[in-house]
Amino acid sequence: LAKTTQPISMDSYEGQEVNITCSHNNIATNDYITWYQQFPSQGPRFIIQGYKTKVTNEVASLFIPADRKSSTLSLPRVSLSDTAVYYCLVGGPGGYQKVTFGIGTKLQVIP
Amino acid sequence: NAGVTQTPKFQVLKTGQSMTLQCAQDMNHEYMSWYRQDPGMGLRLIHYSVGAGITDQGEVPNGYNVSRSTTEDFPLRLLSAAPSQTSVYFCATRNTFQGEQYFGPGTRLTVT
């Protein structure tokens, strides 16, 4: 699986847009990029997945540049309930057999 | 649909005791896995299975055994618990050909 690098922590005020960037320089051609969210005392929850360009759902947007060596998770107008750890994963359908989450990015939303 | 269920939610063991953490899913997913999460760390893969009768090791398999006799169940066994196995354990499932995993609520295990 491609190694990923993301910031350990971020702070944001309520109502702001938050962008978390993940670097994955050795991403393979058939790899997808997936983001998960984890609240304290809960298992991770799938947020969004993409392959290239931009993907948007009701929760977030995922921006992937043409070279796919990085990706940015965008959370619009965050609230206190968005305080969580966010994980970036890279892998293909077959490569997901061994999935490691890394430390993730701890987002703290401030009132 | 219950999704992914884990039992027990909490467990305290003494060093050397054995126990089984249960994981069950009703989504008919082929892929199931066990992770452990320690304070300040991400999730580390212990064992995984791509179908009934097929299991393989993850990053940190030592001290744990698994088997997969049915699609629905994937128990994790600790044969001789050690304090280093104090952790929160998560079970997860997914459809083999998709990346989205569904996680159970976790089991918090303390070994004294």
Side-chain angles (χ1 to χ4, degrees):
Chain A
L1 292 178
K3 178 179 169 59
T4 60
T5 303
Q6 50 185 123
I8 293 175
S9 64
M10 295 179 69
D11 292 337
S12 176
Y13 288 102
E14 270 192 298
Q16 289 189 331
E17 178 184 73
V18 171
N19 295 310
I20 305 174
T21 297
C22 179
S23 298
H24 28 80
N25 291 321
N26 58 338
I27 188 169
T29 302
N30 62 345
D31 283 347
Y32 282 74
I33 300 156
T34 310
W35 286 80
Y36 286 82
Q37 174 191 56
Q38 185 180 27
F39 297 114
S41 302
Q42 294 185 25
R45 182 175 70 114
F46 172 88
I47 301 176
I48 197 166
Q49 183 180 72
Y51 183 78
K52 61 181 179 180
T53 62
K54 176 184 175 182
V55 180
T56 298
N57 62 23
E58 65 277 7
V59 176
S61 294
L62 178 59
F63 298 92
I64 305 169
D67 67 5
R68 304 200 328 122
K69 293 184 183 301
S70 67
S71 59
T72 299
L73 175 72
S74 181
L75 305 173
R77 298 180 297 281
V78 294
S79 64
L80 295 177
S81 63
D82 292 315
T83 293
V85 178
Y86 294 82
Y87 298 96
C88 165
L89 281 73
V90 174
Y96 272 91
Q97 291 182 0
K98 284 193 178 185
V99 179
T100 55
F101 276 69
I103 298 176
T105 298
K106 185 171 184 178
L107 171 66
Q108 181 69 51
V109 179
I110 306 164
Chain B
N1 267 355
V4 183
T5 59
Q6 292 183 237
T7 56
K9 288 188 177 181
F10 302 94
Q11 183 70 49
V12 178
L13 289 178
K14 294 187 186 301
T15 297
Q17 286 185 318
S18 63
M19 81 159 294
T20 299
L21 280 63
Q22 301 291 345
C23 175
Q25 55 109 351
D26 61 2
M27 294 181 285
N28 201 33
H29 286 170
E30 296 179 4
Y31 179 92
M32 296 185 74
S33 57
W34 278 101
Y35 293 87
R36 61 177 288 173
Q37 185 170 36
D38 301 304
M41 300 184 69
L43 285 84
R44 292 184 291 172
L45 182 65
I46 304 172
H47 285 285
Y48 67 96
S49 169
V50 298
I54 306 169
T55 64
D56 204 350
Q57 297 180 349
E59 287 181 274
V60 289
N62 293 340
Y64 307 95
N65 279 354
V66 293
S67 60
R68 183 94 178 271
S69 56
T70 67
T71 299
E72 294 78 19
D73 300 298
F74 190 43
L76 178 72
R77 282 182 286 275
L78 285 70
L79 298 180
S80 179
S84 61
Q85 294 178 304
T86 294
S87 188
V88 179
Y89 291 86
F90 291 102
C91 176
T93 79
R94 69 169 171 86
N95 182 300
T96 304
F97 298 105
Q98 295 175 354
E100 179 178 353
Q101 293 196 79
Y102 298 85
F103 284 80
T107 294
R108 186 175 295 274
L109 174 68
T110 301
V111 183
T112 61

